[in-house]
């Protein structure tokens, strides 16, 4: 399912002012992705980075990320993306404790989302963005009768982000719900 019809998307791109050199220079340079799978979103993120940008891609699966690696190479992005095969929480906790990240994308095991968010939000630079996928859980977060671990964790995290003074946030009703939280 496309968010915007591809023909409409192409039309939009040819009818807006392209980014100038200054905006290109401002684009995200340091990004982290939690949950790689076969590499689709990491290619999208890495393609949007300027020269010198790098993406730390975290996953536990050798099997799925071997496909990602193949496609990163085909996309000419293998220099830009560094893969770390380990539980993502271990990888995030091993990162320097400094606010240097421009972008973080969380799209892995739902029960750990609150921990991923905490580890990442403190490492975002002011203006940096954390993006979380599947925040609506097919609508289950709005149904108090649903009490499985993943939904409870997501509900708690959605509440936390909505009241988190460190960020400005918006929850977009796109597909399964996407939250954008921008570090103040
Ligand atoms: C939904 S897929 C990611 C999809 C990818 N972001 C995309 O849009 O193309 C979730 C991925 O999270 C990974 N994953 C699950 N638990 C994990 C963990 N504890 N640490 C790191 N990765 C994990 C899985 O191996 C899987 O590849």
């Amino acid at each position: 399912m496309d968010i915007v019809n591809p023909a409409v998307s192409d039309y939009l791109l040819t009818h807006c002012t392209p980014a100038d050199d200054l905006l290109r220079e401002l684009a995200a340079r340091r990004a982290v992705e939690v949950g790689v799978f076969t590499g689709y979103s990491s290619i999208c993120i890495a393609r949007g980075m300027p020269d010198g940008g790098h993406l730390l891609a975290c996953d536990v699966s050798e099997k799925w990320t071997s496909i990602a690696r193949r496609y990163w190479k085909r996309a000419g992005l293998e220099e830009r993306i560094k893969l770390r095969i380990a539980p993502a929480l271990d990888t995030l906790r091993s990162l320097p404790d400094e606010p240097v990240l421009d972008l973080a994308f969380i799209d892995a095991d739902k029960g750990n989302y609150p921990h991923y968010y905490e580890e990442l939000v403190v490492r975002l630079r002011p203006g940096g963005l954390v993006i979380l996928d599947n925040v609506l859980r097919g609508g289950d977060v709005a149904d108090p009768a649903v009490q499985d671990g993943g939904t409870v964790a997501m509900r708690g995290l959605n509440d936390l982000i909505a009241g988190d003074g460190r960020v400005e946030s918006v929850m977009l009703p796109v597909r399964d719900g996407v939250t954008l939280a921008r570090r103040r």
Side-chain angles (χ1 to χ4, degrees):
M1 184 170 69
D2 292 302
I3 293 168
V4 177
N5 175 302
V8 176
S9 175
D10 288 347
Y11 183 86
L12 287 170
L13 287 174
T14 54
H15 290 80
C16 63
T17 310
D20 60 22
D21 288 346
L22 183 127
L23 287 177
R24 269 192 287 274
E25 196 182 311
L26 191 66
R29 281 170 197 284
R30 292 188 197 202
V32 172
E33 177 179 70
V34 179
V36 174
F37 194 48
T38 53
Y40 192 101
S41 53
S42 49
I43 288 176
C44 295
I45 294 169
R47 274 187 174 161
M49 298 176 116
D51 290 343
H54 52 89
L55 170 66
L56 174 64
C58 310
D59 207 292
V60 281
S61 168
E62 288 279 5
K63 180 180 159 202
W64 294 121
T65 58
S66 65
I67 298 172
R69 266 194 248 249
R70 236 176 31 238
Y71 278 82
W72 294 341
K73 192 164 182 194
R74 285 181 59 185
L77 293 168
E78 74 265 49
E79 297 295 316
R80 198 171 281 186
I81 305 174
K82 184 174 171 195
L83 176 65
R84 194 83 64 85
I85 298 284
L89 200 50
D90 295 347
T91 302
L92 298 182
R93 286 180 174 154
S94 72
L95 296 178
D97 233 354
E98 284 159 20
V100 293
L101 295 178
D102 298 299
L103 182 76
F105 179 47
I106 303 176
D107 187 20
D109 48 323
K110 310 309 165 202
N112 268 321
Y113 266 42
H115 304 299
Y116 297 146
Y117 176 77
E118 263 320 311
E119 295 300 328
L120 288 164
V121 76
V122 294
R123 291 177 170 88
L124 284 180
R125 65 163 176 77
L129 201 64
V130 59
I131 304 172
L132 303 96
D133 199 12
N134 308 110
V135 293
L136 294 178
R137 305 267 301 170
D140 285 350
V141 288
D143 180 354
V146 182
Q147 290 295 331
D148 66 272
T151 302
V152 169
M154 193 69 81
R155 208 178 273 136
L157 178 59
N158 289 341
D159 290 347
L160 184 145
I161 293 174
D164 187 351
R166 296 171 295 181
V167 296
E168 294 174 306
S169 67
V170 63
M171 196 182 282
L172 305 174
V174 175
R175 298 187 76 171
D176 195 25
V178 175
T179 289
L180 307 180
R182 184 170 170 267
R183 189 82 158 94
R184 290 183 198 273

